[in-house]
């Protein structure tokens, strides 16, 4: 019998090692200041930030505290599924969150986000015009752009034959049996399998979904791990040789290990945009706007981009970055013509994605 692949919790290696003591307020404990209600003006000096792992500048939180006097209590989530589930039953005290574009759509539809007051976010002017409007959030009523990103294959060059520039090696081959890691987030996994099959990535066609499920079940014995946002750690540690991951996460570990590289498969991939938003019922909405505005500052944005190695939509921040960042083909992949943005269509389709992955895991 084949051992069942397991989901490995994020190791926080890159996050804790990279930020060290600069991670002011990093917390896995109950949120600070919960239950006190209202913004409280000068009395409310702690902000609760719900963010991805390895996704803030090395000194950003300390710099914000020095500039504003506000402490940031940052908690971490591993997937959009986790973020959505945490907030679906009500806000537990978070002021600012970082959902991906399709989940911005999903949370707007579920009335889970507060409208933004653009007058309180003057640094929005720093955002590249390309990102100042969005199909998933017209007029940026509910979200501000934080990064944009693309999924691909991170791989160890010495363990792989050539460049693995097809999703075949992840979804339809036993060539690297036991040495590959797929994402655990349902929507991402299903949509990328659709890309491999040459299907529209955001389709709700039941026949296509059944084909994807069959493909994933067939490939399951070859999968070592379905990971939760820590694929780069698995690759760096030598636990796997190929992993589906975001470009920025692989760019981070490429600084540590020259045997690691990244490719966007020729079939195309999923482009995403992670956003800053204020969840419904945020206890400190004024501080939330202040923090979002700070993150969109040119220098703060450059510090974030320098640390996390993701493409920034902040034009003023990008202008401050060196050529090693601006010309990096992992951070800014040159050929995305076959790639497209993920879209939220309906709760019914989101549930179908989740049910497919549940059945795959149980098969």
């Amino acid at each position: 019998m084949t051992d069942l692949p397991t989901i490995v919790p994020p190791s926080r290696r890159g996050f804790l090692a990279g930020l060290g003591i600069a991670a002011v307020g990093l917390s896995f404990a109950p949120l600070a200041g919960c239950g006190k209600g209202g913004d409280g003006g000068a009395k409310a000096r702690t902000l609760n930030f719900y963010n991805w792992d390895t996704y803030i500048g090395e000194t950003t939180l300390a710099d914000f505290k020095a500039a504003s006097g506000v402490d940031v209590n940052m908690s971490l989530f591993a997937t959009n599924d986790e973020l959505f589930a945490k907030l679906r039953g009500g806000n537990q005290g978070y002021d600012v969150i970082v959902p991906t574009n399709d989940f911005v759509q999903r949370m707007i539809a579920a009335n889970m986000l507060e409208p933004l007051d653009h007058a309180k976010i003057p640094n929005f002017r720093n955002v590249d015009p390309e990102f100042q409007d969005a199909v998933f959030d017209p007029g940026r009523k509910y979200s501000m752009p934080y990064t944009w990103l693309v999924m691909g294959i991170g791989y160890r060059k010495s363990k792989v034959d050539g460049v693995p520039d097809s999703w075949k090696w992840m979804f339809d081959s036993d060539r690297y049996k036991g040495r590959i890691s797929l994402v655990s987030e349902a929507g991402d996994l299903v949509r990328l399998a659709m890309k491999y099959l040459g299907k529209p990535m955001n389709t709700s066609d039941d026949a296509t979904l059944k084909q994807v499920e069959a493909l994933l079940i067939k490939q399951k014995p070859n999968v070592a791990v379905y990971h939760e946002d820590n694929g780069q750690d698995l690759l760096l540690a030598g636990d796997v040789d190929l992993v589906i991951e975001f470009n920025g996460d692989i760019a981070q570990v490429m600084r540590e290990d020259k045997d690691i590289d990244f490719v966007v498969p020729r079939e195309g991939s999923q482009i995403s945009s992670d956003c800053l938003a204020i969840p419904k019922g945020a206890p400190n909405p004024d501080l939330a706007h202040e923090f979002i505005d700070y993150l969109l500052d040119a220098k703060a944005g450059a510090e974030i981009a320098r640390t996390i190695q993701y493409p920034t939509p902040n034009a003023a921040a990008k202008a401050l970055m060196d050529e090693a960042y601006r010309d990096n083909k992992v951070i800014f992949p040159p050929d995305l013509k076959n790639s497209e943005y993920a879209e939220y269509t309906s709760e019914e389709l989101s549930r179908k994605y989740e049910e497919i992955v549940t059945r795959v895991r149980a098969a």
Side-chain angles (χ1 to χ4, degrees):
M1 178 180 291
T2 301
D3 291 336
L4 295 181
T6 57
I7 292 179
V8 176
S11 71
R12 316 301 180 201
R13 175 209 56 79
F15 185 85
L16 297 175
L19 301 194
I21 60 172
V24 177
L26 176 64
S27 175
F28 302 97
L31 300 183
C34 293
K36 296 183 180 179
D39 209 328
K43 294 181 181 179
R45 307 311 296 169
T46 299
L47 176 134
N48 292 312
F49 182 35
Y50 201 24
N51 192 18
W52 299 86
D53 186 13
T54 66
Y55 223 43
I56 194 69
E58 185 174 347
T59 64
T60 303
L61 302 185
D63 291 345
F64 178 67
K65 181 177 181 179
S68 66
V70 176
D71 285 303
V72 178
N73 180 55
M74 184 165 67
S75 303
L76 305 177
F77 62 90
T79 69
N80 279 291
D81 292 332
E82 178 185 346
L83 168 66
F84 187 81
K86 180 69 73 72
L87 293 174
R88 179 161 43 187
N91 189 350
Q92 302 174 28
Y94 299 108
D95 296 302
V96 177
I97 59 175
V98 191
T100 305
N101 56 283
D102 53 319
F103 274 78
V104 170
Q105 286 180 293
R106 189 177 182 183
M107 296 176 90
I108 291 172
N111 194 31
M112 293 169 64
L113 299 181
E114 296 281 1
L116 298 176
D117 184 347
H118 284 212
K120 296 179 180 178
I121 312 176
N123 280 327
F124 182 49
R125 65 179 179 269
N126 290 333
V127 173
D128 189 307
E130 180 182 351
F131 296 94
Q132 288 188 1
D133 198 6
V135 172
F136 60 86
D137 181 17
R140 289 289 181 182
K141 184 177 179 180
Y142 294 94
S143 69
M144 287 285 137
Y146 186 56
T147 63
W148 68 270
L149 50 159
V150 62
M151 282 190 147
I153 301 173
Y155 63 99
R156 185 164 291 283
K157 292 183 284 187
S158 63
K159 299 291 186 178
V160 175
D161 296 329
V163 177
D165 61 349
S166 172
W167 289 120
K168 172 181 180 178
W169 305 116
M170 310 305 290
F171 292 126
D172 197 17
S173 172
D174 62 0
R175 173 66 181 82
Y176 300 105
K177 181 180 176 66
R179 303 299 300 169
I180 65 174
S181 178
L182 308 186
V183 290
S184 63
E185 187 162 305
D188 293 343
L189 184 59
V190 171
R191 285 188 290 259
L192 292 178
M194 288 179 185
K195 266 295 180 189
Y196 169 64
L197 293 171
K199 306 294 185 180
M201 193 179 72
N202 294 295
T203 186
S204 58
D205 176 65
D206 284 336
T208 299
L209 294 176
K210 288 180 180 178
Q211 191 176 357
V212 166
E213 182 174 342
L215 178 73
L216 294 175
I217 289 174
K218 178 183 176 183
Q219 183 67 352
K220 182 181 175 182
N222 301 317
V223 178
V225 177
Y226 295 92
H227 72 82
E228 291 186 342
D229 194 37
N230 68 321
Q232 73 276 19
D233 295 329
L234 298 171
L235 188 60
L236 185 64
D239 295 329
V240 297
D241 297 324
L242 300 97
V243 61
I244 296 178
E245 253 300 358
F246 290 107
N247 55 330
D249 283 343
I250 299 302
Q252 289 175 26
V253 295
M254 285 175 66
R255 294 184 295 190
E256 302 177 51
D257 190 333
K258 301 303 182 184
D259 192 33
I260 291 175
D261 209 340
F262 175 86
V263 62
V264 176
R266 59 179 179 267
E267 297 93 345
S269 188
Q270 174 178 296
I271 304 172
S272 301
S273 177
D274 284 340
C275 302
L276 301 164
I278 301 176
K280 186 73 71 174
N284 304 301
D286 286 341
L287 289 185
H289 280 86
E290 183 179 350
F291 183 58
I292 290 173
D293 186 61
Y294 180 81
L295 296 182
L296 295 182
D297 173 76
K299 290 184 178 179
E303 167 63 17
I304 293 167
R306 190 175 297 113
T307 301
I308 71 174
Q309 295 288 287
Y310 272 92
T312 179
N314 187 326
K318 187 176 179 181
L320 298 178
M321 300 297 290
D322 60 19
E323 290 183 1
Y325 172 85
R326 296 196 307 269
D327 297 340
N328 189 310
K329 292 183 180 180
V330 172
I331 299 174
F332 297 98
D335 184 4
L336 296 176
K337 65 178 182 294
N338 294 325
S339 300
E340 55 189 308
Y341 276 89
E343 296 176 4
Y344 168 74
T345 303
S346 66
E347 277 303 298
E348 180 184 7
L349 183 57
S350 295
R351 283 194 296 271
K352 285 182 178 180
Y353 289 163
E354 293 163 2
E355 290 165 0
I356 286 171
V357 173
T358 296
R359 289 192 293 269
V360 169
R361 296 298 312 283

